[in-house]
């Protein structure tokens, strides 16, 4: 198995892409600590994780925009397992899909607090454990909205910041043997864009923009995350792994 006995902390793990990543990590032998704000969905995920393997998996309530939550989570995981091998900063929100001049200041702050501040706090807190153990892999989840203009304000801006932070952290953390990479999904069938996909015109637009002519699935993204979590990518840091069916290639 590719993640045997690795302690993997993943945020936003209760639904969609995060849930699949958590389950695939468990299938690959990891001890999974899954965090989210959705209590009911976490309870369901906990059962699913235990069905996958008999590892000592954990689910924890976690608001990633709160520093005190990160400190609590990391302290508890360190005390219980002695280490954190992988951090997957998966949690994020799309916010209201509005143009810049229609986006409210409060809405802009809400998206940035979750997507940017939450990712920053995760790296800032977990690196203290990884520095001590002189090993680790951090995977941030950005989006192709950080690469091309899709009219997704402030989501695109927040994901651009995640890309930039990944590069900076990769250079900074390399001396501790900690790798930091980023996954950039394209149009993926998750609850985040469920309403848009139910609109036939919008759905067809997504397909038309994708050279492989289909909407991406969560099973297209999760293996990329597992690869970056595993030792198979041990010479990769600061890398961008684009999973978009070719959207950004043309």
């Amino acid at each position: 198995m590719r993640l045997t006995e690795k302690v993997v902390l993943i945020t936003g793990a209760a639904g969609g892409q995060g849930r699949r990543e958590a389950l695939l990590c468990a299938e690959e032998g990891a001890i999974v600590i899954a965090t989210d704000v959705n209590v009911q969905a976490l309870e369901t995920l906990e059962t699913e994780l235990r069905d996958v393997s008999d590892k000592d998996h954990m689910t924890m309530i976690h608001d990633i925009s709160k520093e005190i939550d990160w400190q609590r989570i990391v302290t508890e995981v360190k005390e219980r397992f002695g280490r954190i091998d992988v951090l997957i900063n998966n949690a994020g929100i799309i916010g209201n899909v509005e143009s810049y001049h229609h986006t409210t200041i409060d809405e802009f702050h809400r998206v940035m607090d979750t997507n940017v501040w939450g990712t920053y706090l995760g790296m800032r807190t977990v690196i203290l454990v990884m520095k001590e153990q002189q090993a680790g892999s951090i995977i941030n989840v950005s989006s192709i909205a950080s690469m091309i203009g899709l009219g997704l304000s402030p989501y695109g801006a927040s994901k651009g910041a995640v890309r930039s932070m990944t590069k900076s952290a990769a250079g900074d953390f390399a001396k501790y043997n900690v790798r930091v990479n980023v996954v950039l999904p394209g149009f993926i069938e998750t609850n985040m864009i469920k309403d848009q996909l139910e609109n036939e015109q919008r759905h067809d637009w997504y397909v038309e923009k994708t050279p492989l002519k289909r909407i991406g699935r969560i099973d297209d993204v999760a293996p990329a995350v597992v690869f970056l979590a595993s030792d198979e990518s041990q010479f990769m840091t600061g890398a961008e792994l684009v999973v978009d069916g070719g959207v950004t290639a043309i």
Side-chain angles (χ1 to χ4, degrees):
M1 293 184 181
R2 302 159 77 192
L3 301 179
T4 301
E5 300 304 321
K6 287 187 182 292
V7 178
V8 176
L9 171 57
I10 175 170
T11 67
Q17 188 171 292
R19 171 181 167 275
R20 186 66 194 112
E21 291 164 8
L23 291 172
L24 186 56
C25 285
E27 290 171 14
E28 291 292 344
I31 300 166
V32 176
I33 296 88
T35 79
D36 207 292
V37 293
N38 190 327
V39 178
Q40 186 174 357
L42 273 180
E43 290 174 352
T44 300
L45 176 60
E46 185 170 15
T47 300
E48 293 174 325
L49 286 169
R50 300 198 186 286
D51 287 342
V52 170
S53 72
D54 60 358
K55 303 290 185 184
D56 191 16
H57 305 299
M58 295 174 61
T59 58
M60 307 178 75
I61 307 301
H62 182 193
D63 181 344
I64 65 167
S65 69
K66 307 297 184 186
E67 184 175 16
I68 192 171
D69 264 25
W70 273 109
Q71 292 170 340
R72 171 180 57 84
I73 295 288
V74 170
T75 297
E76 288 188 29
V77 174
K78 176 67 162 54
E79 289 178 350
R80 184 162 177 173
F81 300 105
R83 61 187 299 111
I84 299 175
D85 298 297
V86 179
L87 168 64
I88 303 171
N89 277 315
N90 171 80
I93 59 175
I94 194 169
N96 294 330
V97 181
E98 299 283 357
S99 60
Y100 275 95
H101 62 291
H102 286 140
T103 301
T104 66
I105 298 299
D106 286 344
E107 177 65 7
F108 202 96
H109 277 299
R110 186 175 75 91
V111 174
M112 299 297 277
D113 282 350
T114 300
N115 297 354
V116 181
W117 187 239
T119 299
Y120 166 74
L121 287 175
M123 292 194 292
R124 184 177 186 271
T125 312
V126 168
I127 189 57
L128 298 177
V129 177
M130 292 183 171
K131 176 182 177 181
E132 181 180 311
Q133 65 199 29
Q134 288 290 296
S137 174
I138 297 173
I139 301 106
N140 295 326
V141 178
S142 180
S143 165
I144 62 168
S146 69
M147 303 173 71
I148 56 177
L150 294 173
L152 296 176
S153 168
Y155 179 76
S158 72
K159 291 302 186 178
V162 170
R163 284 181 70 203
S164 178
M165 288 193 298
T166 298
K167 299 285 188 180
S168 296
D172 190 19
F173 296 171
K175 57 182 171 288
Y176 309 126
N177 194 34
V178 174
R179 302 180 294 108
V180 191
N181 295 291
V182 63
V183 175
L184 297 96
F187 307 131
I188 308 298
E189 190 173 1
T190 66
N191 286 335
M192 186 175 285
I193 62 169
K194 179 181 178 182
D195 292 342
Q196 296 180 56
L197 293 179
E198 289 176 348
N199 180 302
E200 184 177 353
Q201 184 176 2
R202 190 66 176 174
H203 178 279
D204 291 346
W205 183 86
Y206 281 138
V207 173
E208 181 59 31
K209 290 284 286 184
T210 305
L212 289 182
K213 298 307 176 191
R214 69 171 174 85
I215 303 296
R217 297 182 290 265
I218 54 177
D219 281 327
D220 294 319
V221 180
V225 172
V226 168
F227 167 68
L228 291 176
S230 76
D231 292 340
E232 294 169 12
S233 59
Q234 60 185 304
F235 200 56
M236 292 176 64
T237 194
E240 299 180 351
L241 200 51
V242 181
V243 187
D244 70 349
V247 175
T248 56
I250 58 174

